Amino acid sequence: MAGVPAVRRLPVVADLSLVTAGAMTANVAGYLLQLLAGRWLGVAGYSEFASLLAVQLLCAVPALALQNVVARELVRGANVAALRGLQWRCAVIVAAVAVALIPVVTMVLEVSPVACAAALVPAPALVMLSGEQGVLQGSRRFRGLAVVLGAAGVARVVPAIVVLALGAGAAPALWAAAFGIAGAAVFARYVAGASADVVRTPEAAEPEVEAAVDGAGSLDLYAPITSAGFAGVIAVLRAAQVQAALMALSSADLIVVRIVLDEDDASRYALGTMATKIAFWLPAAVGMVLYPRMAQPGHSAGAIRSALAVLSGIGAVAVLGAAVAAPLAPLFAGEDYAPIQGLLWLFALHGAVLAVLQGALLSAIAVDRTALAALAWLGLAIELALMLAFARTIPALITTAAGVAATTTAIVAVLVLYTAARQPDRAESGS
């Protein structure tokens, strides 16, 4: 593309290291907030705080979907101003839904309406923050993306910790976090820059993208969004249901265990899922860094194969690490948790498989084949049915969860690889 300056690219390993550092900073900050809140608020106060944090996590689903769509469309050559218009549209829609949900969530969770509002009000800011992260991701400015990821985690957590340390309750802490999220969104826009300042790499507008429009003027999968209108919102909704499917599949077991196990075993299972979360989030940067290439015609299949291979390798290391470190679990958590130490590798396997599934579903968003999420929803239904009907012990529950996740992942991975391998041919045939 004439006129686009050459951009010095960091090696992929360096990109992965930067984004991993930013994501880990945010994750560690989040875990620290929950740890200190649990200690300072006590059992009763922490229950309200934790449940509203979970609601806030659900609000992040459309935000993450927007990030993926913005990154994909920027790679395909879409106009940055149009994509920022899409951000505003999505933010307005999310704000309206959040306001409507405040009385509903307040009643269902039996929490303070002030605290509930503090948890839901930041939803539009999360959308704007993720949109700017999508701009950075799509333009492959991973250093800036890493800075924003880490800064957003710190900006959300530090004000809340300060308020909690001063002896305030859940509502003031959530409001402090809300202001931190708003500040992070402003900072992200500053880092991403104005539309005219956003530098896209030469790969972001290769000839294959322009070949996505055939002679009759019909659009192929790789044609970019040209406006911030209805089509863009629908694209975000399609991506959102993919994110929601993954989130549901990764958390359904924690809901079921409270139904089928006694309180002690449910607590042991919940502790085991720490290994699941570590194995799941550890390689998160892989998909984030390789995603722009997944969305690029001619490079998609190779990027998807690379992502799934790296995710599988990291997962194998995580499972081995969990098996080796298992004897240490009772030392940190107490002897009450000794019965699950032999199962930690299986919990880690569950997380590792879900990480590969996340990579596969991200690639489905990248090639705009979000209907594949139906397989994740089907896997969720099967998992719930098997657990509720047959699983009554911790080993049975985690074996069911890992088995269903592995089967779902294998099917989705095969389909996305097959689809991506065929897309360059379609783009070329349309030229």
Side-chain angles (χ1 to χ4, degrees):
M1 185 176 186
V4 178
V7 177
R8 183 177 65 83
R9 292 286 299 117
L10 290 170
V12 171
V13 174
D15 291 339
L16 287 172
S17 299
L18 288 170
V19 177
T20 298
M24 289 301 294
T25 299
N27 288 333
V28 170
Y31 288 133
L32 179 63
L33 173 60
Q34 295 195 48
L35 177 65
L36 294 177
R39 178 171 299 179
W40 291 337
L41 292 175
V43 176
Y46 180 68
S47 176
E48 179 184 42
F49 186 77
S51 61
L52 288 174
L53 281 182
V55 170
Q56 197 172 81
L57 181 63
L58 292 176
C59 293
V61 169
L64 292 173
L66 175 67
Q67 177 176 338
N68 289 327
V69 170
V70 167
R72 180 187 72 198
E73 299 305 323
L74 188 59
V75 168
R76 296 179 181 181
N79 181 270
V80 177
L83 294 176
R84 284 193 165 131
L86 175 61
Q87 290 179 35
W88 281 105
R89 275 178 161 77
C90 291
V92 170
I93 293 171
V94 167
V97 173
V99 170
L101 284 176
I102 290 174
V104 177
V105 174
T106 298
M107 181 175 60
V108 171
L109 296 183
E110 298 181 348
V111 295
S112 158
V114 176
C116 183
L120 290 172
V121 162
L126 284 171
V127 169
M128 300 303 294
L129 170 62
S130 293
E132 296 304 323
Q133 289 176 177
V135 171
L136 292 166
Q137 184 182 5
S139 56
R140 307 190 192 194
R141 295 159 59 194
F142 294 114
R143 187 186 301 276
L145 178 59
V147 170
V148 169
L149 287 171
V154 172
R156 171 177 171 265
V157 167
V158 170
I161 288 178
V162 170
V163 170
L164 288 171
L166 294 174
L174 287 167
W175 277 111
F179 284 111
I181 292 170
V186 173
F187 177 70
R189 176 57 188 269
Y190 169 77
V191 174
S195 301
D197 298 328
V198 175
V199 178
R200 300 208 310 272
T201 58
E203 299 99 317
E206 287 188 342
E208 291 101 327
V209 175
E210 297 173 4
V213 183
D214 63 23
S218 61
L219 296 179
D220 195 13
L221 288 176
Y222 292 107
I225 293 174
T226 56
S227 71
F230 184 72
V233 174
I234 293 300
V236 174
L237 289 175
R238 288 201 304 267
Q241 62 93 19
V242 178
Q243 298 285 353
L246 179 66
M247 181 175 291
L249 191 59
S250 65
S251 58
D253 57 332
L254 281 171
I255 298 174
V256 173
V257 296
R258 295 185 62 83
I259 299 173
V260 301
L261 296 180
D262 61 41
E263 185 174 350
D264 289 345
D265 277 348
S267 296
R268 293 187 181 104
Y269 190 98
L271 182 70
T273 60
M274 291 297 294
T276 303
K277 292 176 182 177
I278 292 172
F280 178 68
W281 289 112
L282 184 64
V286 174
M288 198 172 295
V289 169
L290 292 178
Y291 182 84
R293 293 187 68 81
M294 293 181 190
Q296 189 180 343
H299 298 281
S300 181
I304 293 171
R305 284 194 297 269
S306 297
L308 297 185
V310 173
L311 289 169
S312 299
I314 295 175
V317 173
V319 173
L320 179 61
V324 172
L328 299 176
L331 298 178
F332 291 99
E335 288 299 326
D336 288 343
Y337 295 97
I340 67 165
Q341 72 178 59
L343 297 172
L344 287 181
W345 71 271
L346 196 51
F347 281 98
L349 177 63
H350 185 210
V353 169
L354 288 173
V356 177
L357 178 60
Q358 181 180 47
L361 290 177
L362 276 176
S363 69
I365 297 175
V367 298
D368 213 0
R369 291 292 193 184
T370 54
L372 286 172
L375 293 171
W377 289 114
L378 177 61
L380 173 66
I382 293 172
E383 178 181 308
L384 290 174
L386 291 175
M387 284 183 169
L388 291 172
F390 303 109
R392 293 295 180 272
T393 65
I394 293 177
L397 284 163
I398 188 56
T399 300
T400 301
V404 172
T407 303
T408 304
T409 299
I411 296 171
V412 173
V414 168
L415 289 176
V416 296
L417 285 169
Y418 175 77
T419 301
R422 292 176 60 85
Q423 287 312 308
D425 296 334
R426 289 189 56 174
E428 291 167 8
S429 66
S431 58

